[in-house]
Each structure stands twice: as structure tokens, then as C-alpha cells.
Amino acid sequence: MSRPRCDKTAAWRRLQDHYRAAGAAFDLRAAFAADAQRFAHFSQQAPHVFADLSKSLLDEQTEQLLLGLAQETRLEAHRDAMFAGERINNTENRAVKHWLLRAPRNAADPDSVAVHETLDAMLAFAEQVRADPTITDVVNIGIGGSDLGPQMAVAALQGQVTPGKRFHFVSNIDGHELAAVLRDLKPQGTLFLVASKTFTTLETMTNARSAKHWFEQQGGSDIARHFAALTTNVDAARQFGITTTFGFWDWVGGRYSLWSAIGLPIAVAIGAQGFRDLLAGAHAMDEHFRTAPLPQNLPARLGLLDVWYRNFHGFTSRSIAPYHSALRRLPAYLQQLEMESNGKSVDAQGRPLAFGTSPVLWGEPGTNGQHAYFQMLHQGTDRVPVEFIAVRQPSHSLPGHHQLLLANALAQAQALMQGKPDAAGHRNFSGNRPSTFFVLEELTPATLGALLALHEHRVFTSGSVWGIDSFDQWGVELGKVLATDIARRLAAGDVEGLDASTAGLLDRLR
Ligand code: F6P
């Protein structure tokens, strides 16, 4: 599909003019003073997620101009192409259909039928594992999208995890990680899930081989019972010796795969119904993104705000502040989702871009971050938009804590915006620092599913406006190739032809 380059549109030029005329000097405090309805105008209830954008550097006119940009870059047509199953991942010539993993079964669509067959089989297996008291430990071996999603979701939904099973996530090729996990395991009580879309990833295959070796050395024999593979490459898994396999498809990107068989650890943790609720929550957000008019379309509004911040305000980073400790892995998950999707410097046709793309995403749960780096957010030289995520109802019953937690989230957002003038420079808070505030009623599979799908579509939106292929990840290839060569050199002590720094370090590390 041909779409105009965003920086060549009339809307882009209008946004530049508007930024110079009003955007750069925009003041949140003045905006609230001028519009008593600002909170109502700039907040929105989407499926399972309430979002307050009123503390964003946005006014009506900016939103209108951003919507004009979406129109000129044909965001809706691009979105519809994704939902129609067109091969919008053009550099890999693949469709992008992770949304189908959470859509109800459609008997007329063979892909949907296959999705639901696998889902049913995987959930039946999950229930079988849950009902088996002899399996006490589930070890997920995978990296990137085959680790971050399941790890984040199992932690997020810990309130609903059935007691009696421990979950471990091993991703790093660093043997310290696997060794530390194996130390406490017994082969007869362990289920290893080898999660890899390609079943070729060096880290995962190295860890899987070591785990299998450990299992056999410890006297374990029933591989079919203690190992399962989650992969699109079922043949490679069989060759590896794993016969219990759950497949998925090349149209599911790694970082979009927790909804597929890669989600098996989540299903074991929260049960089949919990996993179906997670899918249903995400599906509700898919429908919202697919059908809501852009002015009321939350993922689109957020993605457009991201473009405004990145390309006009020039912000290069965004801080994620989940005010719920169970969401502690969410920043890392969102980091991969956005930075691997949109960290590109060429468009989908390979032409260099003359504007910025993915910001750096980072963060820690509140209130911890407040006592670490919030100093910089309040008084540093850079303005960093902050995203607060609060959950209204706690899933513990300790009195007092949750109100204080929520009060802190509100206070931080308020302090960032309002600031506090003081003649003594070190006590001065400039304020006018933007934030977005998300509220979930409770942290449940459904609300988590919706929150994640919201972010997927938001990343789609900014990537679409920028004209990049948000679904490839060529940038990880070079390091992989060089590591293979350097591993050989490290073993042999061969520094021939290497740059002086790599050669010197290689010598040092031998
Ligand atoms: O780091 C690149 C990457 O391809 C990610 O996109 C992916 O999630 C990860 O590696 C793991 O890949 P696989 O699931 O094929 O092992």
C-alpha cells in the first residue's frame, strides 16, 4: 500500500507551524485555567482502560492537526489492511495477525480455526499441568518476545496464580541464570517449556540443551512429560527430542506472541478461563482500535501524541511508572514492544528517514522510582513525559497501603504539572512537565489484556505515521552474526583482522 511520507504532508508542515506558534510555549497550568472542562475533554474510557490525557501538552488544535496527519498518512487504511490480513510486514513479506489470536473462532477462516484448535489443545495441557501436584516448578526457557510477555503477565497476575507451582524464567545465555534456577529443582517435579518462535535462537537453544542435559544427568527420563516446545518450528523441536509441541504462525511477531502458544506459562499460572479472559480483554481493545472514529480512538490518540512529542517537541524518552508492583516487568515488556518495533531509521521501503522514531522507554514501579530518578523528572534539564498506571482496587487486604500508593501517583503527576516556583533555584520546580495517567479498575486478565493491546496499537499508530515497518527487527541480526565469529576467535585466541579495541578486550577476557 502506498502512503505518503509523513514529513512530506501538508499536515506535517501545519504541525511545525503550530508548534512554533503555540506548541513550544504551551503551558498546562494556563490550559487548565482556560478550560474548566479540560479533564473531561482530554480523558477517555476505552475498554477496561481509562486514560487521562489532560496533563499532556495537547490542545484541541494540536489534536485536530494530528488527526489531519493520520488522515494524510492513511492510518485507517493501514490499520484496516492489518485487520484484513494483508502482508503489511513488507520487509519479511508477512501478514500481521496477532489480533486473530484473541478473536472469537470464525469457522469460515482456516487461520482462525487453526488458532482455536491450538488454543484448545494448549489450554487443555495447561489444565492438566495445573491438576498435577507432582509438577511443582515450571521453567520457561526463551528470550525477547518468548520471555518478556509471559514473564511480565505471570508477575502481573500473581494475585490469581494458583498456589502450589513456582514459575521461573530463564532467558540469558549467561549460565549464572540457568544454574541458579536448576539449583533448587528436581527433575521429576519440573516442566521445562522451551519457547522460541524460530527454535534457532542461540540463547534459548543453549539453555534448552543444558536443561535437557541436567535433566538426564539427574536421572530424569520422560522427556515427553517434562519438556514442551512452543514454536513455529515444530520440526526443529522434534529433532531436538521434544515431542510435546504447541505451534503458532509466522504472522505472529515475537514481541506480539504472548497471546499464542508462547502464553502457555500464563495459562498454567492463571488457568484456561483466565487465559481466555486475557484474550477477551485484548480483543475488546482490538475492536475499539478497529472501529472507533479516530478522535475517540485511544490507541490512535496516544500514538499521535507520541509523534507530537517525538517529532515536534523533540522528546527522546518516555518513562513508564506503573503504580503496582505486580507490573514491575511492564516497562521491560513495553521497551521491546516499542523500541524493537519502531526503533528504525529507514522507512518500509528502505529509504532513510529525516525525523526521529522510537523514543527510549524506561521505568520502574512507583513509588520506588520516586526515590531514585524522579529527581531528574522534576528538575532535570530534559522534559520526559511520564506514564502513570494506577489500579483502583488492590488485590491485597493490608490496610492503608493502597491509598498511599494512589496518593503518591496522583501527587507526582500533579507536581510534574504544577511545579512550585521558588527563588532559591535548587528548590524551584518549573512544572509544565507532561504525564499521561491510566487507570484500571482492577488488575485482572481482562484489564491486562486490554492494556497490552492498547500499547500494541499505539505503537502501530506511530509506526504507521512514520511509514516504517514496525514488524521486522533487522537491527538484531548483525550482533548475532558477529557473536558467532567472536565465539570462535575467543576459543582459539584468534585476533587476526580485528579492530584494536575488540582484539585487546578479547585478549583480556581469555
Ligand atoms: O532479538 C530478536 C528476536 O528475534 C526477538 O524479536 C524475538 O522476540 C527474540 O529474538 C526471540 O526469538 P525466538 O522466539 O525465535 O527465539
Side-chain angles (χ1 to χ4, degrees), residues 168 174 227 370:
H168 314 268
D174 180 352
F227 281 79
Q370 291 174 213

Side-chain angles (χ1 to χ4, degrees), residues 16 27 36 49 57 62 174 195 229 237 244 318 336 377 389 416 434 478:
Q16 282 174 327
D27 191 292
V49 183
L57 305 177
T62 312
D174 180 352
T244 309
R318 180 157 86 242
Q336 187 198 16
L377 299 178
I389 302 162
L416 285 166
L478 179 61

Side-chain angles (χ1 to χ4, degrees), residues 1 81 84-96 250:
M1 167 190 305
E86 285 176 33
R87 292 173 182 252
I88 61 163
N89 174 1
N90 67 298
T91 73
E92 296 181 328
N93 192 26
R94 288 177 181 161
V96 173
D250 73 352

Side-chain angles (χ1 to χ4, degrees), residues 394-406:
S395 46
H396 66 78
S397 53
L398 295 174
H401 287 255
H402 203 63
Q403 273 207 346
L404 288 173
L405 177 73
L406 297 181

Side-chain angles (χ1 to χ4, degrees), residues 493-508:
D494 169 14
V495 296
E496 184 69 31
L498 283 180
D499 64 87
S501 169
T502 310
L505 290 169
L506 190 145
D507 268 343
R508 186 96 196 174

Side-chain angles (χ1 to χ4, degrees), residues 98 101-102 122 145 148-150 152-153 252-264 266 275 278-279 333 448-449 452 456:
H98 47 274
L101 300 166
R102 49 227 190 185
M122 155 194 161
L148 289 165
M152 174 273 300
V252 183
R255 52 195 174 275
Y256 299 86
S257 65
L258 76 85
W259 324 98
S260 72
I262 293 292
L264 184 57
I266 310 171
F275 195 78
L278 179 83
L279 298 180
Y333 170 82
L448 181 68
L452 301 181
E456 288 178 351

